[in-house]
Tab-separated table of all heavy atoms in Angstrom:
chain	number	residue	atom	x	y	z
Q	1	TYR	N	0.827	-1.239	-0.047
Q	1	TYR	CA	-0.014	0.042	0.036
Q	1	TYR	C	0.923	1.314	-0.022
Q	1	TYR	O	1.630	1.461	0.985
Q	1	TYR	CB	-0.924	-0.068	1.174
Q	1	TYR	CG	-1.934	1.067	1.284
Q	1	TYR	CD1	-3.271	0.755	0.981
Q	1	TYR	CD2	-1.660	2.307	1.618
Q	1	TYR	CE1	-4.317	1.672	1.043
Q	1	TYR	CE2	-2.632	3.329	1.522
Q	1	TYR	CZ	-3.973	3.117	1.296
Q	1	TYR	OH	-4.957	4.068	1.339
Q	2	GLY	N	0.804	2.142	-1.095
Q	2	GLY	CA	1.469	3.358	-1.098
Q	2	GLY	C	3.058	3.266	-1.269
Q	2	GLY	O	3.810	3.966	-0.832
Q	3	ASN	N	3.378	2.000	-1.900
Q	3	ASN	CA	4.885	1.913	-1.946
Q	3	ASN	C	5.456	2.526	-3.267
Q	3	ASN	O	6.652	2.318	-3.540
Q	3	ASN	CB	5.077	0.385	-2.113
Q	3	ASN	CG	4.685	-0.391	-3.287
Q	3	ASN	OD1	3.970	0.323	-4.209
Q	3	ASN	ND2	4.944	-1.628	-3.513
Q	4	LEU	N	4.679	3.354	-3.929
Q	4	LEU	CA	5.091	4.252	-5.071
Q	4	LEU	C	5.469	3.285	-6.231
Q	4	LEU	O	6.337	3.706	-7.086
Q	4	LEU	CB	6.168	5.088	-4.716
Q	4	LEU	CG	5.858	6.067	-3.595
Q	4	LEU	CD1	7.122	6.938	-3.223
Q	4	LEU	CD2	4.723	6.846	-3.736
Q	5	SER	N	4.897	2.111	-6.334
Q	5	SER	CA	5.220	1.255	-7.541
Q	5	SER	C	4.529	1.826	-8.713
Q	5	SER	O	3.568	2.537	-8.722
Q	5	SER	CB	4.747	-0.200	-7.148
Q	5	SER	OG	3.303	-0.093	-6.933
Q	6	LYS	N	5.113	1.437	-10.058
Q	6	LYS	CA	4.641	1.944	-11.147
Q	6	LYS	C	3.468	1.219	-11.534
Q	6	LYS	O	3.134	0.014	-11.405
Q	6	LYS	CB	5.820	1.761	-12.250
Q	6	LYS	CG	7.013	2.722	-11.971
Q	6	LYS	CD	7.965	2.528	-13.115
Q	6	LYS	CE	9.216	3.461	-12.772
Q	6	LYS	NZ	10.290	3.303	-13.987
Q	7	TYR	N	2.712	1.871	-12.363
Q	7	TYR	CA	1.475	1.347	-13.078
Q	7	TYR	C	1.975	0.556	-14.231
Q	7	TYR	O	2.497	1.233	-15.180
Q	7	TYR	CB	0.422	2.331	-13.302
Q	7	TYR	CG	-0.571	2.590	-12.216
Q	7	TYR	CD1	-0.120	3.139	-11.024
Q	7	TYR	CD2	-1.887	2.144	-12.291
Q	7	TYR	CE1	-1.043	3.473	-9.999
Q	7	TYR	CE2	-2.761	2.491	-11.104
Q	7	TYR	CZ	-2.272	3.142	-10.180
Q	7	TYR	OH	-3.192	3.351	-9.066
Q	8	THR	N	1.737	-0.620	-14.366
Q	8	THR	CA	2.128	-1.521	-15.493
Q	8	THR	C	1.084	-2.463	-15.922
Q	8	THR	O	0.123	-2.809	-14.759
Q	8	THR	CB	3.409	-2.295	-15.293
Q	8	THR	OG1	3.347	-3.077	-14.074
Q	8	THR	CG2	4.559	-1.329	-15.108
Q	9	LYS	N	1.102	-3.133	-16.892
Q	9	LYS	CA	0.071	-4.106	-17.290
Q	9	LYS	C	0.284	-5.473	-16.543
Q	9	LYS	O	1.514	-5.877	-16.525
Q	9	LYS	CB	0.194	-4.429	-18.817
Q	9	LYS	CG	-0.890	-5.391	-19.298
Q	9	LYS	CD	-0.876	-5.689	-20.849
Q	9	LYS	CE	-1.269	-4.375	-21.494
Q	9	LYS	NZ	-1.356	-4.784	-22.978
Q	10	ARG	N	-0.703	-5.883	-15.956
Q	10	ARG	CA	-0.427	-7.007	-15.025
Q	10	ARG	C	-1.618	-8.027	-15.345
Q	10	ARG	O	-2.723	-7.574	-15.554
Q	10	ARG	CB	-0.474	-6.630	-13.619
Q	10	ARG	CG	0.531	-5.443	-13.373
Q	10	ARG	CD	0.989	-5.372	-11.924
Q	10	ARG	NE	1.742	-4.149	-11.852
Q	10	ARG	CZ	2.435	-3.761	-10.700
Q	10	ARG	NH1	2.400	-4.597	-9.658
Q	10	ARG	NH2	3.041	-2.668	-10.586
Q	11	THR	N	-1.404	-9.284	-15.230
Q	11	THR	CA	-2.335	-10.350	-15.391
Q	11	THR	C	-2.962	-10.728	-14.073
Q	11	THR	O	-2.228	-11.034	-13.046
Q	11	THR	CB	-1.717	-11.619	-16.038
Q	11	THR	OG1	-1.245	-11.255	-17.382
Q	11	THR	CG2	-2.852	-12.643	-16.262
Q	12	ILE	N	-4.234	-10.728	-13.964
Q	12	ILE	CA	-5.023	-11.161	-12.727
Q	12	ILE	C	-5.860	-12.451	-13.070
Q	12	ILE	O	-6.523	-12.464	-14.180
Q	12	ILE	CB	-6.073	-10.064	-12.324
Q	12	ILE	CG1	-5.372	-8.653	-12.125
Q	12	ILE	CG2	-6.735	-10.544	-11.072
Q	12	ILE	CD1	-4.220	-8.811	-11.044
Q	13	PRO	N	-5.739	-13.496	-12.338
Q	13	PRO	CA	-4.826	-13.605	-11.114
Q	13	PRO	C	-3.461	-13.910	-11.318
Q	13	PRO	O	-3.076	-14.535	-12.440
Q	13	PRO	CB	-5.561	-14.900	-10.430
Q	13	PRO	CG	-5.992	-15.773	-11.487
Q	13	PRO	CD	-6.457	-14.742	-12.689
Q	14	ARG	N	-2.595	-13.469	-10.529
Q	14	ARG	CA	-1.182	-13.847	-10.682
Q	14	ARG	C	-0.976	-15.369	-10.220
Q	14	ARG	O	-1.492	-15.725	-9.116
Q	14	ARG	CB	-0.236	-12.925	-9.764
Q	14	ARG	CG	1.310	-13.255	-9.739
Q	14	ARG	CD	2.036	-12.223	-9.112
Q	14	ARG	NE	1.620	-11.984	-7.664
Q	14	ARG	CZ	1.949	-12.679	-6.730
Q	14	ARG	NH1	2.586	-13.737	-6.788
Q	14	ARG	NH2	1.480	-12.252	-5.449
Q	15	GLU	N	-0.338	-16.161	-11.032
Q	15	GLU	CA	-0.056	-17.462	-10.814
Q	15	GLU	C	0.760	-17.711	-9.529
Q	15	GLU	O	1.830	-17.015	-9.355
Q	15	GLU	CB	0.427	-18.267	-11.903
Q	15	GLU	CG	-0.438	-18.143	-13.230
Q	15	GLU	CD	-1.646	-18.995	-12.988
Q	15	GLU	OE1	-1.669	-19.941	-12.221
Q	15	GLU	OE2	-2.513	-18.741	-13.735
Q	16	VAL	N	0.315	-18.626	-8.677
Q	16	VAL	CA	1.144	-19.090	-7.482
Q	16	VAL	C	1.433	-20.559	-7.642
Q	16	VAL	O	0.491	-21.331	-7.719
Q	16	VAL	CB	0.329	-18.682	-6.150
Q	16	VAL	CG1	1.135	-19.189	-5.060
Q	16	VAL	CG2	0.102	-17.215	-6.094
Q	17	PRO	N	2.699	-20.881	-7.552
Q	17	PRO	CA	3.055	-22.359	-7.706
Q	17	PRO	C	2.414	-23.170	-6.684
Q	17	PRO	O	2.361	-22.864	-5.546
Q	17	PRO	CB	4.660	-22.261	-7.471
Q	17	PRO	CG	5.044	-20.915	-7.810
Q	17	PRO	CD	3.988	-20.019	-7.499
Q	18	GLY	N	1.757	-24.239	-7.260
Q	18	GLY	CA	1.143	-25.197	-6.261
Q	18	GLY	C	-0.244	-24.854	-5.903
Q	18	GLY	O	-0.984	-25.645	-5.155
Q	19	ARG	N	-0.784	-23.647	-6.304
Q	19	ARG	CA	-2.190	-23.197	-5.955
Q	19	ARG	C	-2.904	-22.769	-7.118
Q	19	ARG	O	-3.254	-21.646	-7.398
Q	19	ARG	CB	-1.980	-22.036	-4.950
Q	19	ARG	CG	-1.447	-22.279	-3.561
Q	19	ARG	CD	-2.340	-23.089	-2.752
Q	19	ARG	NE	-3.486	-22.429	-2.404
Q	19	ARG	CZ	-3.686	-21.432	-1.448
Q	19	ARG	NH1	-2.677	-21.103	-0.760
Q	19	ARG	NH2	-4.926	-20.922	-1.219
Q	20	PRO	N	-3.137	-23.685	-8.177
Q	20	PRO	CA	-3.791	-23.395	-9.307
Q	20	PRO	C	-5.253	-22.909	-9.061
Q	20	PRO	O	-5.776	-23.510	-8.050
Q	20	PRO	CB	-3.629	-24.607	-10.218
Q	20	PRO	CG	-3.571	-25.614	-9.211
Q	20	PRO	CD	-2.827	-25.184	-8.096
Q	21	PHE	N	-5.771	-22.203	-9.922
Q	21	PHE	CA	-7.232	-21.877	-9.931
Q	21	PHE	C	-7.974	-22.781	-10.798
Q	21	PHE	O	-7.672	-23.081	-11.958
Q	21	PHE	CB	-7.467	-20.383	-10.390
Q	21	PHE	CG	-7.003	-19.435	-9.328
Q	21	PHE	CD1	-5.779	-18.814	-9.452
Q	21	PHE	CD2	-7.966	-19.106	-8.249
Q	21	PHE	CE1	-5.412	-17.818	-8.509
Q	21	PHE	CE2	-7.437	-18.064	-7.359
Q	21	PHE	CZ	-6.186	-17.421	-7.508
Q	22	LYS	N	-9.181	-23.225	-10.439
Q	22	LYS	CA	-10.076	-24.012	-11.330
Q	22	LYS	C	-10.692	-23.127	-12.368
Q	22	LYS	O	-10.994	-23.424	-13.534
Q	22	LYS	CB	-11.254	-24.688	-10.600
Q	22	LYS	CG	-10.806	-25.846	-9.700
Q	22	LYS	CD	-11.943	-26.429	-8.875
Q	22	LYS	CE	-11.455	-27.656	-7.984
Q	22	LYS	NZ	-12.496	-28.322	-7.373
Q	23	ASN	N	-11.003	-21.859	-11.878
Q	23	ASN	CA	-11.574	-20.829	-12.845
Q	23	ASN	C	-10.343	-20.327	-13.625
Q	23	ASN	O	-9.421	-19.698	-13.083
Q	23	ASN	CB	-12.220	-19.671	-12.093
Q	23	ASN	CG	-12.988	-18.763	-12.879
Q	23	ASN	OD1	-12.523	-18.224	-13.861
Q	23	ASN	ND2	-14.241	-18.553	-12.579
Q	24	LYS	N	-10.435	-20.346	-15.003
Q	24	LYS	CA	-9.370	-20.031	-15.802
Q	24	LYS	C	-9.546	-18.506	-16.466
Q	24	LYS	O	-8.763	-18.279	-17.371
Q	24	LYS	CB	-9.176	-21.076	-17.006
Q	24	LYS	CG	-8.954	-22.501	-16.470
Q	24	LYS	CD	-7.773	-22.617	-15.556
Q	24	LYS	CE	-7.456	-23.927	-15.038
Q	24	LYS	NZ	-6.335	-23.972	-14.191
Q	25	THR	N	-10.538	-17.829	-15.969
Q	25	THR	CA	-10.711	-16.509	-16.457
Q	25	THR	C	-9.473	-15.643	-16.093
Q	25	THR	O	-8.830	-15.691	-15.072
Q	25	THR	CB	-12.003	-15.756	-15.849
Q	25	THR	OG1	-13.069	-16.630	-15.958
Q	25	THR	CG2	-12.177	-14.471	-16.484
Q	26	LYS	N	-9.009	-14.878	-17.148
Q	26	LYS	CA	-7.843	-13.995	-16.975
Q	26	LYS	C	-8.236	-12.556	-17.387
Q	26	LYS	O	-9.068	-12.320	-18.202
Q	26	LYS	CB	-6.725	-14.434	-17.915
Q	26	LYS	CG	-6.143	-15.768	-17.819
Q	26	LYS	CD	-5.307	-15.933	-16.647
Q	26	LYS	CE	-4.716	-17.339	-16.379
Q	26	LYS	NZ	-3.980	-17.593	-15.063
Q	27	PHE	N	-7.562	-11.689	-16.546
Q	27	PHE	CA	-7.838	-10.259	-16.781
Q	27	PHE	C	-6.447	-9.599	-17.054
Q	27	PHE	O	-5.452	-9.973	-16.469
Q	27	PHE	CB	-8.509	-9.615	-15.570
Q	27	PHE	CG	-9.917	-10.110	-15.252
Q	27	PHE	CD1	-10.029	-11.218	-14.525
Q	27	PHE	CD2	-10.969	-9.434	-15.794
Q	27	PHE	CE1	-11.316	-11.734	-14.144
Q	27	PHE	CE2	-12.363	-9.920	-15.503
Q	27	PHE	CZ	-12.464	-11.039	-14.751
Q	28	GLU	N	-6.375	-8.503	-17.746
Q	28	GLU	CA	-5.251	-7.652	-17.793
Q	28	GLU	C	-5.614	-6.169	-17.507
Q	28	GLU	O	-6.485	-5.659	-18.166
Q	28	GLU	CB	-4.551	-7.733	-19.357
Q	28	GLU	CG	-3.808	-9.018	-19.466
Q	28	GLU	CD	-2.987	-8.910	-20.635
Q	28	GLU	OE1	-3.245	-7.971	-21.581
Q	28	GLU	OE2	-2.068	-9.707	-20.905
Q	29	PHE	N	-4.971	-5.747	-16.606
Q	29	PHE	CA	-5.132	-4.309	-16.002
Q	29	PHE	C	-3.903	-3.643	-15.997
Q	29	PHE	O	-2.830	-4.195	-15.555
Q	29	PHE	CB	-5.905	-4.318	-14.704
Q	29	PHE	CG	-7.233	-4.986	-14.612
Q	29	PHE	CD1	-7.575	-6.028	-13.951
Q	29	PHE	CD2	-8.217	-4.492	-15.430
Q	29	PHE	CE1	-8.756	-6.620	-13.972
Q	29	PHE	CE2	-9.560	-5.042	-15.395
Q	29	PHE	CZ	-9.780	-6.091	-14.676
Q	30	VAL	N	-3.855	-2.317	-16.150
Q	30	VAL	CA	-2.708	-1.434	-15.816
Q	30	VAL	C	-2.897	-0.991	-14.445
Q	30	VAL	O	-3.766	-0.046	-14.170
Q	30	VAL	CB	-2.679	-0.303	-16.892
Q	30	VAL	CG1	-1.486	0.670	-16.464
Q	30	VAL	CG2	-2.462	-0.905	-18.237
Q	31	VAL	N	-2.164	-1.575	-13.493
Q	31	VAL	CA	-2.249	-1.157	-11.997
Q	31	VAL	C	-1.026	-1.177	-11.346
Q	31	VAL	O	0.064	-1.683	-11.931
Q	31	VAL	CB	-3.279	-2.251	-11.327
Q	31	VAL	CG1	-4.600	-2.069	-11.837
Q	31	VAL	CG2	-2.820	-3.675	-11.605
Q	32	ASP	N	-0.984	-0.748	-10.006
Q	32	ASP	CA	0.217	-0.788	-9.287
Q	32	ASP	C	0.245	-1.982	-8.295
Q	32	ASP	O	-0.764	-2.820	-8.580
Q	32	ASP	CB	0.313	0.538	-8.458
Q	32	ASP	CG	-0.776	0.685	-7.477
Q	32	ASP	OD1	-1.746	-0.096	-7.459
Q	32	ASP	OD2	-0.692	1.592	-6.615
Q	33	ASP	N	1.223	-2.108	-7.477
Q	33	ASP	CA	1.329	-3.259	-6.610
Q	33	ASP	C	0.162	-3.456	-5.749
Q	33	ASP	O	-0.510	-4.635	-5.677
Q	33	ASP	CB	2.478	-3.089	-5.826
Q	33	ASP	CG	3.923	-3.265	-6.510
Q	33	ASP	OD1	3.765	-3.707	-7.694
Q	33	ASP	OD2	4.943	-3.079	-5.873
Q	34	TYR	N	-0.541	-2.388	-5.094
Q	34	TYR	CA	-1.476	-2.624	-4.135
Q	34	TYR	C	-2.932	-2.964	-4.842
Q	34	TYR	O	-3.520	-3.901	-4.490
Q	34	TYR	CB	-1.782	-1.488	-3.206
Q	34	TYR	CG	-2.848	-1.852	-2.253
Q	34	TYR	CD1	-2.641	-2.703	-1.261
Q	34	TYR	CD2	-4.048	-1.219	-2.278
Q	34	TYR	CE1	-3.636	-3.009	-0.299
Q	34	TYR	CE2	-5.129	-1.584	-1.403
Q	34	TYR	CZ	-4.808	-2.384	-0.385
Q	34	TYR	OH	-5.885	-2.754	0.506
Q	35	ASN	N	-3.013	-2.232	-5.976
Q	35	ASN	CA	-4.324	-2.684	-6.799
Q	35	ASN	C	-4.214	-4.072	-7.363
Q	35	ASN	O	-5.296	-4.795	-7.370
Q	35	ASN	CB	-4.544	-1.673	-7.840
Q	35	ASN	CG	-5.120	-0.382	-7.400
Q	35	ASN	OD1	-6.459	-0.406	-7.132
Q	35	ASN	ND2	-4.392	0.721	-7.256
Q	36	GLU	N	-3.018	-4.513	-7.730
Q	36	GLU	CA	-2.825	-5.829	-8.225
Q	36	GLU	C	-3.135	-6.852	-6.976
Q	36	GLU	O	-3.887	-7.915	-7.170
Q	36	GLU	CB	-1.371	-6.201	-8.681
Q	36	GLU	CG	-1.271	-7.764	-9.117
Q	36	GLU	CD	0.291	-7.907	-9.443
Q	36	GLU	OE1	1.013	-7.126	-9.103
Q	36	GLU	OE2	0.480	-9.159	-9.830
Q	37	TYR	N	-2.676	-6.662	-5.866
Q	37	TYR	CA	-2.879	-7.403	-4.615
Q	37	TYR	C	-4.359	-7.448	-4.339
Q	37	TYR	O	-4.962	-8.529	-4.051
Q	37	TYR	CB	-2.093	-6.767	-3.442
Q	37	TYR	CG	-2.398	-7.334	-2.146
Q	37	TYR	CD1	-1.879	-8.596	-1.836
Q	37	TYR	CD2	-3.121	-6.703	-1.211
Q	37	TYR	CE1	-2.027	-9.184	-0.548
Q	37	TYR	CE2	-3.385	-7.200	0.039
Q	37	TYR	CZ	-2.856	-8.450	0.423
Q	37	TYR	OH	-3.107	-8.951	1.705
Q	38	PHE	N	-5.029	-6.393	-4.390
Q	38	PHE	CA	-6.482	-6.241	-4.135
Q	38	PHE	C	-7.202	-7.091	-5.150
Q	38	PHE	O	-8.150	-7.822	-4.842
Q	38	PHE	CB	-6.953	-4.784	-4.011
Q	38	PHE	CG	-8.358	-4.612	-3.411
Q	38	PHE	CD1	-8.255	-4.535	-1.901
Q	38	PHE	CD2	-9.366	-4.594	-4.134
Q	38	PHE	CE1	-9.520	-4.360	-1.359
Q	38	PHE	CE2	-10.579	-4.274	-3.326
Q	38	PHE	CZ	-10.739	-4.255	-1.988
Q	39	LEU	N	-6.977	-6.967	-6.357
Q	39	LEU	CA	-7.716	-7.689	-7.420
Q	39	LEU	C	-7.419	-9.100	-7.406
Q	39	LEU	O	-8.345	-9.888	-7.594
Q	39	LEU	CB	-7.138	-7.082	-8.900
Q	39	LEU	CG	-7.660	-5.749	-9.273
Q	39	LEU	CD1	-6.863	-5.196	-10.311
Q	39	LEU	CD2	-9.250	-5.864	-9.688
Q	40	ASN	N	-6.194	-9.604	-7.060
Q	40	ASN	CA	-5.941	-10.982	-6.808
Q	40	ASN	C	-6.793	-11.557	-5.741
Q	40	ASN	O	-7.341	-12.741	-5.842
Q	40	ASN	CB	-4.380	-11.254	-6.492
Q	40	ASN	CG	-3.506	-11.181	-7.646
Q	40	ASN	OD1	-4.003	-11.522	-8.899
Q	40	ASN	ND2	-2.373	-10.597	-7.608
Q	41	GLN	N	-6.905	-10.842	-4.638
Q	41	GLN	CA	-7.751	-11.309	-3.597
Q	41	GLN	C	-9.237	-11.336	-3.963
Q	41	GLN	O	-9.950	-12.249	-3.486
Q	41	GLN	CB	-7.566	-10.511	-2.298
Q	41	GLN	CG	-6.194	-10.594	-1.753
Q	41	GLN	CD	-5.939	-10.000	-0.453
Q	41	GLN	OE1	-6.471	-8.925	-0.067
Q	41	GLN	NE2	-5.168	-10.632	0.532
Q	42	LEU	N	-9.687	-10.330	-4.605
Q	42	LEU	CA	-11.056	-10.396	-5.175
Q	42	LEU	C	-11.248	-11.496	-5.974
Q	42	LEU	O	-12.264	-12.240	-5.886
Q	42	LEU	CB	-11.392	-9.059	-5.999
Q	42	LEU	CG	-11.838	-7.859	-5.174
Q	42	LEU	CD1	-12.035	-6.710	-6.232
Q	42	LEU	CD2	-13.179	-8.138	-4.450
Q	43	PHE	N	-10.355	-11.947	-6.895
Q	43	PHE	CA	-10.478	-13.091	-7.642
Q	43	PHE	C	-10.605	-14.344	-6.891
Q	43	PHE	O	-11.527	-15.141	-7.096
Q	43	PHE	CB	-9.243	-13.218	-8.698
Q	43	PHE	CG	-9.395	-14.283	-9.746
Q	43	PHE	CD1	-9.828	-13.962	-10.928
Q	43	PHE	CD2	-9.113	-15.603	-9.422
Q	43	PHE	CE1	-10.004	-14.799	-11.911
Q	43	PHE	CE2	-9.312	-16.628	-10.468
Q	43	PHE	CZ	-9.746	-16.234	-11.708
Q	44	GLU	N	-9.775	-14.500	-5.862
Q	44	GLU	CA	-9.914	-15.726	-4.999
Q	44	GLU	C	-11.375	-15.812	-4.352
Q	44	GLU	O	-12.020	-16.845	-4.500
Q	44	GLU	CB	-8.970	-15.536	-3.974
Q	44	GLU	CG	-7.458	-15.829	-4.288
Q	44	GLU	CD	-6.442	-15.602	-3.137
Q	44	GLU	OE1	-6.627	-14.683	-2.306
Q	44	GLU	OE2	-5.707	-16.632	-2.953
Q	45	ILE	N	-11.768	-14.679	-3.702
Q	45	ILE	CA	-13.079	-14.670	-3.123
Q	45	ILE	C	-14.179	-14.917	-4.055
Q	45	ILE	O	-15.268	-15.553	-3.651
Q	45	ILE	CB	-13.108	-13.363	-2.362
Q	45	ILE	CG1	-12.283	-13.084	-1.238
Q	45	ILE	CG2	-14.655	-13.033	-1.839
Q	45	ILE	CD1	-12.117	-11.729	-0.689
């Protein structure tokens, strides 16, 4: 949160080794670190 990271194109959800998603929907957003984190958590929920 507020780490001044750059806004870049990122894929949601971010893949985590050993924890694949059954839902294969992918999104691409231009976001910073915290927004990516928040979107990844929304995807899980």
